[in-house]
Amino acid sequence: MTQDRPAIPAAMRREVLEEAGYACAVPSCRSTPVEIAHIEPWSKVQAHTFDNLIALCPNHHTRFDVERRIPAASVHRWKANLALLNGRYSDLERRLLEEAVDAPENVAWPVHSSLSLLLKHLLEDGIISRVGLNQPNISFNGRKQEIFVAITPKGREFLRRWQNAEPLYE
Ligand SMILES: [Zn+2]
């Protein structure tokens, strides 16, 4: 790091961290803590711009920046996909996708029926579907208020694209 490299402005840092949910932007990682990485190297761009900054854990930062084992194109795509995910899906939906990346295919998640609105876009997009014996059953006595959702085959393909740094939508 040279002396003439200014610090990343605090507001921009926060925006970059928020974009990635304060976790590593690599979909299969999502670990904390995170550092801010320049996608195109500082030595080349000599500027801090939001579009060129991404949150990475120290491991992935080193693999990308120092060891050059991750192509910049993949990191650009992860960044673009984060923007898509943040724009379209709720926090609950994004957390479900993160869980699903590492989960076996036959897993179904219980969700309280009052939260199903927060899963609206994943359901609409066919990425998850309601499953199981426990069909939603309107009840006011505190029972049978759980629904179960699972990743569909289309959702598997979506997760595969996300992990492999491919465009999320065709
Ligand atoms: Zn990471």
Side-chain angles (χ1 to χ4, degrees):
M1 221 177 272
T2 59
Q3 272 187 319
D4 18 68
R5 174 170 158 174
I8 299 166
M12 192 182 288
R13 268 191 84 83
R14 196 169 56 240
E15 252 187 288
V16 172
L17 293 171
E18 280 173 2
E19 174 186 53
Y22 290 83
C24 180
V26 177
S28 56
C29 178
R30 306 298 291 155
S31 66
T32 54
V34 287
E35 301 170 348
I36 307 255
H38 288 79
I39 304 175
E40 298 299 330
W42 165 266
S43 57
K44 183 174 151 196
V45 297
Q46 302 276 313
H48 302 308
T49 57
F50 175 77
D51 288 342
N52 192 46
L53 296 173
I54 192 163
L56 294 177
C57 71
N59 244 346
H60 279 113
H61 197 172
T62 302
R63 285 177 65 178
F64 172 56
D65 228 6
V66 181
E67 299 170 4
R68 312 233 169 259
R69 286 163 64 199
I70 304 172
S74 298
V75 183
H76 276 298
R77 177 50 63 188
W78 282 323
K79 169 103 181 166
N81 285 348
L82 272 180
L84 280 169
L85 291 167
N86 289 340
R88 174 103 180 120
Y89 300 115
S90 69
D91 189 53
L92 180 61
E93 287 173 312
R94 295 197 305 270
R95 282 166 197 247
L96 183 61
L97 291 174
E98 284 171 20
E99 287 292 312
V101 162
D102 294 323
E105 284 194 21
N106 59 352
V107 164
W109 283 270
V111 181
H112 192 274
S113 58
S114 65
L115 295 177
S116 60
L117 254 187
L118 291 175
L119 298 175
K120 184 171 180 265
H121 285 156
L122 284 184
L123 286 162
E124 272 179 16
D125 294 350
I127 291 168
I128 60 170
S129 62
R130 287 174 167 201
V131 292
L133 306 166
N134 209 349
Q135 285 301 308
N137 190 347
I138 296 174
S139 150
F140 298 96
N141 64 5
R143 287 184 294 133
K144 296 193 175 176
Q145 290 187 342
E146 264 183 353
I147 60 167
F148 285 85
V149 296
I151 303 293
T152 63
K154 183 182 174 185
R156 292 268 145 231
E157 172 63 13
F158 183 89
L159 291 173
R160 192 196 59 74
R161 285 165 182 259
W162 186 29
Q163 284 205 280
N164 293 344
E166 293 172 21
L168 291 177
Y169 303 101
E170 319 212 30

